[in-house]
Amino acid sequence: MALAHAILVALLDNPCSGYDLAKRFDESVGVFWDASHQQIYRELGKLEADGHLTAETIEQDGRPNKKIYEVTEGGQGFLQEWMAKPTGIRTVKDDLLVKLFAGHMVSRDLILEELENHRQLHEARLGEYRALEQQFLSKTDGLTLASRFQYLTLRNGLLIEQSWLTWCEEAIAYLMRLGRQGE
Amino acid sequence: MALAHAILVALLDNPCSGYDLAKRFDESVGVFWDASHQQIYRELGKLEADGHLTAETIEQDGRPNKKIYEVTEGGQGFLQEWMAKPTGIRTVKDDLLVKLFAGHMVSRDLILEELENHRQLHEARLGEYRALEQQFLSKTDGLTLASRFQYLTLRNGLLIEQSWLTWCEEAIAYLMRLGRQGE
DNA sequence: CCTGCCATGTAAAAAGTTACATGATTCG
DNA sequence: CGAATCATGTAACTTTTTACATGGCAGG
């Protein structure tokens, strides 16, 4: 049920519209959560109905009006309550690993292509995360407390993406070696 | 939609009952997919209706009868088709990271406790994966091709869990340092 | 005697995906 | 002149989670 909480922490850091939230879920917030605009709008409606958010409509000319959402005190309490309850660790779900588990069902080349494709995707994402890290590291006058916590979430993304990259390379090398042995 | 495919690859490796599948999703298969027994029974029903699986009822006395599911040729084709279509990379969703992003909202100790808790959980899981790896490595007479592919999925679990562990330690150290500086 | 294992499911609610829908503006 | 961006949503469907439900047998 953490989509609601993910939205709240994002808005707490920086109040914005649903549209902007969707963009942030594609960028920085995306390091730890992902959501489509459809989900976001629905959830924003619920959170507002529950009193966890207030919306202020900004009239704009030349482009559609927008609603800026802000977390209420009630919303902050709701978040803090949730944060005080321990949670378990994630459950992995990855299509590529499902495919690999039955890798002997298809040609070696098909599997290698898919691995190479994923390697590139993870490499690209790692690059994005490194760019985000530079933004943190370049602030010479020191980070705020809030930024330091956000930095830790980014560090997680960096370590995990690095592992994926390493694993893709290892898997490709392993299968190439198998291939050469004529299996 | 990969739950169906995860079930198929598991049954392909080793036909079994829904109950046994649920256990395997908690153990070895759990390295790359997770599912509750409720999901599994429903999906088994669908897969059987679609002709991807056949079920054989085993009468047992003293305990409930069980149905052993096996992948049909049609099911294999269904799998292979899916495997030939490239898929994207996962989207991370993790409660702990949501909490950390708003870490300044609660006491430092609360966050540190949660991090330490997760550190232990990841350490335990890493231990399980290492034990599974030993089973692969101890087979002196060489692994089958299918086992080699399965080994790669386990390697992924090992690398990812190792990263989580490293990250938890890094985050704990980072926050302790902050604490000492009297923030 | 109580807990846990074996073995299967149903039902309801929440979360997530995919498709549909609108309409002006800006940039190439 | 077409594509992308801004900005919001609805509807239908699929997937996942949580709770409920049954019942015998084995072990401490």
Side-chain angles (χ1 to χ4, degrees):
Chain A
M1 232 265 294
L3 169 60
H5 303 98
I7 289 177
L8 288 172
V9 300
L11 289 176
L12 202 63
D13 175 49
N14 189 11
C16 67
S17 67
Y19 184 83
D20 291 325
L21 257 185
K23 274 197 300 182
R24 291 170 66 196
F25 272 84
D26 266 346
E27 293 160 18
S28 55
V29 179
V31 175
F32 62 86
W33 209 269
D34 139 279
S36 63
H37 79 273
Q38 292 91 335
Q39 265 186 290
I40 289 168
Y41 284 119
R42 179 151 36 92
E43 203 65 37
L44 282 172
K46 275 193 221 168
L47 285 168
E48 195 187 353
D50 290 346
H52 298 322
L53 297 177
T54 46
E56 191 195 354
T57 303
I58 310 285
E59 308 274 338
Q60 298 186 118
D61 44 52
R63 55 183 54 184
N65 296 339
K66 60 177 169 181
K67 282 195 246 175
I68 305 291
Y69 290 93
E70 208 160 340
V71 182
T72 62
E73 271 183 47
Q76 289 182 37
F78 175 72
L79 243 188
Q80 283 167 330
E81 250 177 70
W82 175 73
M83 289 174 77
K85 274 185 285 183
T87 42
I89 58 180
R90 77 169 198 295
T91 54
V92 189
K93 291 192 185 185
D94 196 280
D95 284 358
L96 178 60
L97 298 177
V98 175
K99 289 183 179 184
L100 217 66
F101 195 82
H104 58 284
M105 295 275 293
V106 295
S107 77
R108 197 68 42 91
D109 282 349
L110 198 148
I111 293 285
L112 281 169
E113 267 172 47
E114 187 75 334
L115 278 168
E116 173 56 22
N117 185 26
H118 277 244
R119 193 195 63 73
Q120 285 175 23
L121 291 170
H122 286 295
E123 197 174 40
R125 193 180 270 183
L126 186 58
E128 289 165 28
Y129 289 0
R130 286 204 174 123
L132 287 171
E133 190 177 33
Q134 280 312 309
Q135 289 177 26
F136 279 102
L137 298 179
S138 66
K139 283 183 187 133
T140 45
D141 50 344
L143 297 166
T144 61
L145 184 57
S147 296
R148 286 175 202 273
F149 277 106
Q150 291 173 19
Y151 177 65
L152 284 175
T153 66
L154 178 60
R155 285 293 305 164
N156 182 274
L158 281 161
L159 286 170
I160 298 295
E161 285 303 323
Q162 180 61 65
S163 286
W164 269 95
L165 197 54
T166 302
W167 175 78
C168 284
E169 286 162 1
E170 181 185 311
I172 289 169
Y174 183 90
L175 291 178
M176 302 264 277
R177 232 180 304 133
L178 266 191
R180 258 191 277 121
Q181 286 168 6
E183 223 300 328
Chain B
M1 232 267 291
L3 169 60
H5 304 98
I7 288 176
L8 288 171
V9 301
L11 289 176
L12 202 64
D13 174 51
N14 190 9
C16 67
S17 67
Y19 183 84
D20 290 326
L21 257 184
K23 274 198 298 182
R24 290 171 65 196
F25 272 83
D26 267 346
E27 293 159 17
S28 55
V29 180
V31 175
F32 61 87
W33 210 269
D34 138 279
S36 62
H37 79 274
Q38 292 91 335
Q39 266 184 289
I40 290 168
Y41 283 120
R42 180 153 34 85
E43 203 63 39
L44 284 172
K46 277 194 219 168
L47 285 168
E48 195 187 354
D50 291 345
H52 298 320
L53 296 177
T54 45
E56 191 196 356
T57 303
I58 309 285
E59 309 273 338
Q60 299 188 119
D61 44 52
R63 58 184 53 184
N65 295 339
K66 62 176 167 181
K67 281 195 248 176
I68 304 291
Y69 290 93
E70 208 160 341
V71 182
T72 62
E73 270 184 48
Q76 289 181 37
F78 175 72
L79 242 187
Q80 282 167 330
E81 251 177 71
W82 174 75
M83 288 174 77
K85 275 185 285 185
T87 42
I89 59 180
R90 76 165 201 297
T91 52
V92 188
K93 292 191 184 185
D94 197 280
D95 284 357
L96 178 60
L97 297 177
V98 175
K99 290 182 179 185
L100 216 65
F101 194 82
H104 58 284
M105 296 275 293
V106 295
S107 76
R108 197 67 43 91
D109 283 349
L110 196 148
I111 293 286
L112 282 169
E113 267 173 47
E114 187 75 333
L115 278 169
E116 172 57 22
N117 185 26
H118 277 243
R119 193 194 64 72
Q120 285 176 24
L121 291 170
H122 286 293
E123 197 173 41
R125 195 180 269 183
L126 186 59
E128 288 165 28
Y129 289 0
R130 287 205 174 122
L132 286 171
E133 189 177 33
Q134 280 313 309
Q135 291 177 26
F136 280 101
L137 298 179
S138 65
K139 283 182 188 135
T140 45
D141 49 346
L143 297 166
T144 62
L145 184 57
S147 295
R148 286 175 203 273
F149 278 106
Q150 292 172 17
Y151 177 65
L152 284 175
T153 66
L154 178 60
R155 285 293 305 166
N156 182 274
L158 281 161
L159 286 170
I160 298 295
E161 285 304 322
Q162 180 62 64
S163 286
W164 269 94
L165 196 54
T166 301
W167 175 78
C168 284
E169 285 162 1
E170 182 185 310
I172 289 168
Y174 184 89
L175 292 178
M176 302 264 278
R177 235 181 302 134
L178 267 191
R180 260 192 274 120
Q181 287 165 5
E183 222 302 325

